[in-house]
Amino acid sequence: MKILLYNPDNGVTRNFMPHLWMFLLQALTPPGHEVVLIDGNAQPMDEESIARYVREQNVGLVGIGAMTRMIAKAYRMADAVRAVGVKVVMGGPHVTEMADEALGRDGGSRHADAVALGEADETWPKIVEDAARGTLKDVYAPVDDFGQERKPSLQPYPEIPWDKIKLDQFNLLPGILHPLLKRVGAGWGTFRIIPVESGRGCPYGCEFCTVTGFFGDSIRFRTNESVVNELLLLKARAREEGGQIAVFFIDDNFAINVKRTKSLLRDIIAANAQVHWVAQISANLLRDEELVDLIAAAGGKWIFIGMESIDPANLADVKKGFNKPGEYAVVLDRLARRNVFAITSFIFGMDNDTPGVAERTLKEIRTWPPGLPIFGLMTPLPATPLYKKLEAAGRLTRPKHWQEFIPFAMAHTPLKMSIEEAHNEVRIGWANSYSPEAIEKAVDSLNHKPLGYRINILIARLCFRGIYFPQMGRLAWLKSILENRRTIFKLIKQGFGRGLHAAVPSVAAQPVTEQRD
Ligand code: B12
Ligand code: SF4
C-alpha cells in the first residue's frame, strides 16, 4: 500500500523545519508499504492538488497531523481526500483532544476515518495493517492489554534513516542564493534544520500548555547512544551532500533532568558528534554554569527560553512561578559569555497585563545581550487548564477559535485590557524588535564578537521577523533585505576584509569548539 503522510501549511509563515512525526511514523511503518512525506510548508498544496495526487499516485491511506492552528486546513484537505474515496487517519495534539470533532460525532461533519490518540509510536503499525486489510477502526488509543494508557518508553527508539531519506523539499537555501554561496565555497549546497528528540514529557504543567496533558508529567529519555548515533548520521549526511545541517532538539525542556543532560552533552562531545543546535530550556535550569559550559562545547548555539512575562503575578497566575524575572538578565549574560544566543518568548494578554506591557518588556529586553525576542498572545488551546478555566468563567469570545483561525488574534478577553489593546501590544513588541534600526543596533552592539556570531544574529532576525510580518515569497524577502541593506553591507564589507570563507560559520562540517571572550 502507498501511504501519504501530510502536514498542512500554517498559512502564515513557512516553517523552517520539517515535522518529526512524519519521519518517526515512516520509520515505524511495517515493511511492504511505501511511505511518501509532504510538508505543506515546503510544498504548498490545496484541496484539488491533494485529491489529484492521491488518485494519480494510487495512494491507499493518507495520514494527516496538525496542531490546533492548522486544523481547519487539515480538515479541508482530509475532506478532499475522502471525497475521492481514500481513507484518512488523523493524529497529533489537536485531534487527540477533539476526536469527536474529527470523527463528526459532535454534530459537525466527519473529516477523518480514524483518529490516533496521543503518541502513536505503538499504534501506527496496527493502523497501517488494519487499513491494508480494510478493517480500519474509528479510534486508536495507546493502551496496554488492561486498557491502561501506555506511553512509549523511547528505549529502544527507532532509527530514522537520515542518510537515505529524501529531503529535497527541506532545503532552507533559496535558489537565488546559490551563486553567492558557491563563492563562499564548498559545504553550502544545502542548509537543513532537522528535528531530533532526546526525551518526552514535562512535569511543570503550565496552565496554557498542552505538553503535560499530552506527553505526561513523567519524562522518558532515549539512550545517549541513540541520540549520539543520530547526530553522527546527520553530520555524515551533511558532509556527503556538501551542505549544512543544524539540529532542533524539540524536547520541551531539554535540561529537565540536568544530570542526564550533562551526561548526554559529554557523550556528544566525546563522540565528536557536535552539530550546531537549538534547544528549549527553562530559565530556572540555566543557573548551572557547568551545564551552560557543556551546552556551548556540545554545539548549542540558540536556547529558546519561555520567559512569558516580566511580571511575577502573571507567572504565578499561569502556574509558571518557577520563572523568576529577576534572574533573566543573569541567565542571558551567562549564555552570551559563551556566544550562545537566546530566543526569549513572551506572551501578552495575560490577566495582569495592562496597556504599556510591551514597552515595559522592551525596556527590560534592551538591558539584555541581544537575542531573538518573540511575542505571542495568550491562547486557550483545547483541553488545557487555561481553556477550562476561561470556559467555566464564560470568558471565551471564540470558543472554537481554531475553526476560523486568525493569526495573532485572541479568543478571550484579558482582565485588565481589551482584546484590541492586547493585539496592539504584540504589534509594538515586534515592530520595535525587528525594525531595520533595531536589527542594526543589535548587530552593532556585538562589534566585539566574532563576525560569524554577528552574521548569525542578522540572518536569524531577518528570518524571525517573518513570524509576525508577512514574509512569504521573493518580493517580501527582497523588501526586507533592502530595508536592512546598511547592516548587510557593513557585514559584507567586514567579511570581504577578512575573506568571506573565514567569516561564514560552517554549521556542521567541522567540530564545534567553545568560543569564549
Ligand atoms: C517543534 C515544535 C514547533 C516548531 C514547528 C513544528 C515542527 N516543524 O516541528 C516551531 C518551533 C516552529 C513551533 C511553533 C509553534 N508551536 Co510548536 N511545538 C513544537 C514541539 C516542541 C515539538 C513537536 C514535535 O515534534 N514533537 C514530537 C513528536 C514525536 O510528537 P507529535 O508531533 O505530537 O507526534 C506524535 C503524536 O502526536 C502522533 N501524531 C502526530 N501527528 C500525527 C499524524 C498521524 C497521521 C498519526 C497517526 C499520528 C500523529 O504521533 C507522533 C508520535 O507519537 C511541540 C511540543 C511537543 N513536545 O510535541 C510544540 C507544539 C506542537 N507547538 C505548539 C504551539 C502552540 C506552537 C505555536 C502556535 C506557538 C506560538 N504561540 O506561536 C507555533 C506555531 C507553529 C506554526 N508555525 O504554525 C503546541 C500545539 C498545541 C496544539 N493544541 O496545537 C505544542 C504541543 C506545544 C505546547 N506548548 O502546547 N512548534
Ligand atoms: S510551557 Fe514548557 S515548562 Fe511549562 S508545561 Fe509546557 S513544556 Fe513544560
Side-chain angles (χ1 to χ4, degrees):
M1 181 172 59
K2 190 162 182 173
I3 302 167
L4 168 65
L5 297 180
Y6 170 76
N7 203 102
D9 58 284
N10 65 47
V12 185
T13 54
R14 299 187 67 175
N15 266 348
F16 54 87
M17 176 175 76
H19 291 265
L20 180 59
W21 71 265
M22 296 181 150
F23 298 101
L24 204 52
L25 295 195
Q26 185 181 37
L28 290 165
T29 303
H33 304 281
E34 185 192 349
V35 184
V36 185
L37 314 182
I38 296 185
D39 187 326
N41 292 296
Q43 287 189 58
M45 263 191 167
D46 60 12
E47 291 88 320
E48 212 186 296
S49 41
I50 199 168
R52 196 175 335 112
Y53 183 89
V54 295
R55 257 197 333 253
E56 285 174 3
Q57 297 293 318
N58 202 15
V59 171
L61 176 69
V62 177
I64 303 183
M67 297 184 207
T68 294
R69 79 187 236 158
M70 280 87 104
I71 203 68
K73 167 98 190 223
Y75 287 156
R76 289 199 301 276
M77 298 300 265
D79 295 347
V81 171
R82 295 180 76 234
V84 294
V86 176
K87 298 276 185 207
V88 171
V89 51
M90 295 185 78
H94 184 85
V95 296
T96 293
E97 308 301 351
M98 306 296 295
D100 284 353
E101 178 184 87
L103 293 167
R105 291 173 175 173
D106 66 345
S109 49
R110 182 170 186 157
H111 307 287
D113 294 285
V115 163
L117 302 180
E119 294 172 58
D121 310 51
E122 287 172 10
T123 47
W124 176 245
K126 174 109 188 77
I127 294 172
V128 172
E129 270 155 16
D130 284 0
R133 273 198 305 266
T135 58
L136 201 59
K137 295 189 207 37
D138 285 1
V139 176
Y140 290 83
V143 288
D144 62 18
D145 295 343
F146 306 100
Q148 296 294 314
E149 189 185 12
R150 186 170 62 194
K151 301 227 178 259
S153 70
L154 307 190
Q155 294 190 17
Y157 188 82
E159 215 173 274
I160 302 180
W162 291 117
D163 48 340
K164 297 187 199 83
I165 294 178
K166 273 180 77 177
L167 290 171
D168 306 351
Q169 61 182 316
F170 303 115
N171 184 3
L172 284 176
L173 295 176
I176 196 174
L177 287 182
H178 285 168
L180 177 72
L181 289 164
K182 269 203 188 128
R183 294 199 55 186
V184 172
W188 277 96
T190 52
F191 176 39
R192 313 184 194 286
I193 301 184
I194 300 294
V196 171
E197 60 182 339
S198 90
R200 290 187 197 163
C202 178
Y204 286 164
C206 306
E207 200 179 45
F208 51 82
C209 179
T210 333
V211 171
T212 305
F214 187 86
F215 289 101
D217 55 7
S218 67
I219 306 132
R220 292 150 284 143
F221 295 117
R222 292 169 65 179
T223 60
N224 288 359
E225 193 191 0
S226 125
V227 179
V228 168
N229 287 343
E230 192 166 352
L231 296 181
L232 288 171
L233 207 59
L234 285 165
K235 206 170 164 175
R237 174 161 187 158
R239 228 183 352 250
E240 262 157 42
E241 63 186 15
Q244 304 287 327
I245 275 181
V247 158
F248 189 135
F249 281 113
I250 55 91
D251 305 39
D252 291 291
N253 214 333
F254 185 61
I256 190 72
N257 178 332
V258 173
K259 201 171 152 210
R260 182 263 173 184
T261 308
K262 285 183 182 174
S263 101
L264 173 62
L265 296 175
R266 283 192 194 103
D267 284 0
I268 291 174
I269 296 164
N272 194 18
Q274 296 104 320
V275 293
H276 287 191
W277 52 264
V278 186
Q280 314 181 87
I281 302 181
S282 54
N284 58 323
L285 300 173
L286 291 165
R287 289 174 191 143
D288 188 319
E289 295 280 351
E290 189 190 28
L291 174 70
V292 185
D293 274 340
L294 285 166
I295 288 173
K301 290 289 153 195
W302 291 94
I303 301 297
F304 180 105
I305 307 176
M307 295 193 156
E308 327 303 6
S309 178
I310 54 163
D311 175 359
N314 268 332
L315 292 165
D317 194 37
V318 297
K319 312 279 176 293
K320 198 156 184 172
F322 57 85
N323 264 8
K324 306 287 177 212
E327 71 173 351
Y328 288 171
V330 182
V331 163
L332 296 175
D333 278 335
R334 193 169 290 136
L335 291 171
R337 279 204 308 278
R338 278 106 173 156
N339 289 348
V340 178
F341 282 113
I343 304 168
T344 48
S345 169
F346 295 94
I347 304 176
F348 293 154
M350 294 174 106
D351 275 348
N352 203 38
D353 279 345
T354 52
V357 60
E359 192 39 53
R360 288 192 292 279
T361 309
L362 287 163
K363 206 171 146 207
E364 284 283 309
I365 292 175
R366 285 184 204 113
T367 67
W368 299 338
L372 288 176
I374 55 176
F375 309 92
L377 283 157
M378 197 63 168
T379 307
L381 292 168
T384 54
L386 174 72
Y387 191 97
K388 291 174 192 156
K389 179 176 94 177
L390 295 171
E391 187 179 39
R395 290 177 58 199
L396 294 172
T397 50
R398 294 187 296 132
K400 298 223 164 168
H401 52 91
W402 51 89
Q403 291 184 347
E404 206 186 323
F405 171 69
I406 314 172
F408 292 101
M410 289 195 79
H412 73 281
T413 313
L415 285 181
K416 297 185 178 172
M417 65 206 292
S418 69
I419 288 181
E420 289 67 33
E421 283 168 334
H423 293 176
N424 193 39
E425 295 298 329
V426 169
R427 198 191 53 73
I428 294 171
W430 282 98
N432 278 275
S433 305
Y434 292 86
S435 65
E437 298 73 38
I439 295 180
E440 185 173 7
K441 216 168 153 198
V443 174
D444 284 353
S445 73
L446 292 171
N447 263 338
H448 57 295
K449 293 279 191 182
L451 187 59
Y453 188 70
R454 279 181 290 143
I455 293 177
N456 188 340
I457 194 161
L458 171 69
I459 295 175
R461 285 243 180 161
L462 290 179
C463 293
F464 267 53
R465 72 181 287 292
I467 298 174
Y468 186 77
F469 301 106
Q471 196 162 277
M472 297 234 276
R474 280 177 177 214
L475 268 183
W477 264 98
L478 212 59
K479 188 168 169 257
S480 170
I481 287 171
L482 273 177
E483 282 172 1
N484 289 281
R485 60 185 178 280
R486 264 168 61 104
T487 318
I488 296 172
F489 283 139
K490 256 194 251 175
L491 289 181
I492 289 182
K493 226 169 100 188
Q494 289 168 29
F496 276 109
R498 292 177 199 190
L500 202 50
H501 295 256
V504 176
S506 164
V507 174
Q510 300 164 2
V512 182
T513 45
E514 194 181 351
Q515 294 176 312
R516 286 222 195 210
D517 288 352

